[in-house]
């Protein structure tokens, strides 16, 4: 990181998270992704970190975002890969390729839901997993990441 610049944290969101607030609110809550972005951005900026907040419904675009974090000098990643958590070797490989400290976050606790949600491919590349805290889990994931970085 060049001297005098804030640490850049990439917060990357997978498929259907653009529908937060509308999508199964009994599970995912009533806040929109824009609400979550505002909270996370404020949390990071209060701690002198810059927030790059991204979302895509497409696996390859998520790979590009992870690589972008590396090429644009990101200090670390918070990622909610959503459904790709349970299927994507490509996202795992992208995270391993960057070697950036990464925290996995889930709004629900996938381990207490359907059996197919119990596998996380990306977990192997993450320093921690936050789950089941609702959308507050994003700031908790940022807290863990900043603690690891400082
Ligand atoms: C979000 C999703 O979209 C699901 O596919 C995951 C995760 C759980 C979450 O809790 O944030 O299984």
């Amino acid at each position: 990181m060049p001297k005098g610049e804030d640490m850049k944290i990439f917060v990357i969101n997978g498929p259907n998270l653009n529908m937060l607030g509308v999508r199964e609110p009994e599970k995912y809550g009533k806040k929109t992704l824009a609400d979550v972005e505002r909270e996370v951005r404020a949390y990071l900026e209060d701690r002198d970190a810059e927030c790059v907040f991204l979302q895509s419904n497409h696996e390859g675009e998520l790979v590009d975002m992870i690589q972008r974090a590396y090429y644009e000098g990101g200090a670390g990643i918070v990622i909610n890969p959503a459904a790709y958590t349970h299927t994507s070797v490509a996202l795992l490989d992208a995270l391993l390729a960057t070697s950036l400290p990464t925290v996995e976050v889930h709004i629900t606790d996938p381990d207490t839901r359907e059996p197919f949600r119990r596998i996380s491919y990306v977990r192997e590349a993450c320093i921690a997993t936050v789950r089941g805290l609702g959308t507050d889990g994003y700031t908790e994931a940022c807290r863990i990441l900043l603690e690891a970085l400082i």
Side-chain angles (χ1 to χ4, degrees):
M1 183 177 58
K3 230 177 158 206
E5 275 184 28
D6 285 345
M7 220 162 30
K8 210 188 273 187
I9 305 298
F10 280 70
V11 182
I12 299 175
N13 293 278
N16 300 305
L17 292 168
N18 57 312
M19 290 193 71
L20 279 186
V22 174
R23 172 191 191 198
E24 299 179 274
E26 68 291 351
K27 290 194 183 98
Y28 294 100
K30 289 190 182 142
K31 284 186 182 160
T32 65
L33 194 62
D35 296 331
V36 176
E37 176 173 358
R38 250 189 309 277
E39 286 175 8
V40 168
R41 194 173 287 288
Y43 183 89
L44 288 172
E45 287 175 2
D46 281 353
R47 288 154 185 82
D48 295 326
E50 185 186 332
C51 175
V52 181
F53 198 94
L54 304 167
Q55 189 275 332
S56 176
N57 291 325
H58 305 280
E59 187 174 14
E61 281 183 9
L62 292 163
V63 170
D64 289 342
M65 288 168 180
I66 293 167
Q67 292 186 7
R68 187 180 148 194
Y70 174 80
Y71 286 114
E72 294 186 8
I77 298 173
V78 167
I79 188 163
N80 184 347
Y84 289 131
T85 307
H86 319 299
T87 63
S88 181
V89 177
L91 293 187
L92 168 64
D93 284 350
L95 291 171
L96 290 172
T98 68
S99 296
L100 290 172
T102 299
V103 178
E104 174 190 17
V105 60
H106 300 288
I107 296 166
T108 65
D109 180 356
D111 290 353
T112 63
R113 298 176 61 187
E114 305 94 319
F116 61 81
R117 294 185 202 271
R118 287 187 197 144
I119 285 185
S120 167
Y121 282 87
V122 299
R123 193 155 303 167
E124 202 176 307
C126 294
I127 59 169
T129 299
V130 176
R131 57 197 149 188
L133 298 184
T135 49
D136 291 346
Y138 281 82
T139 48
E140 174 60 6
C142 290
R143 189 192 65 73
I144 292 168
L145 182 61
L146 292 183
E147 201 173 88
L149 287 170
I150 292 163

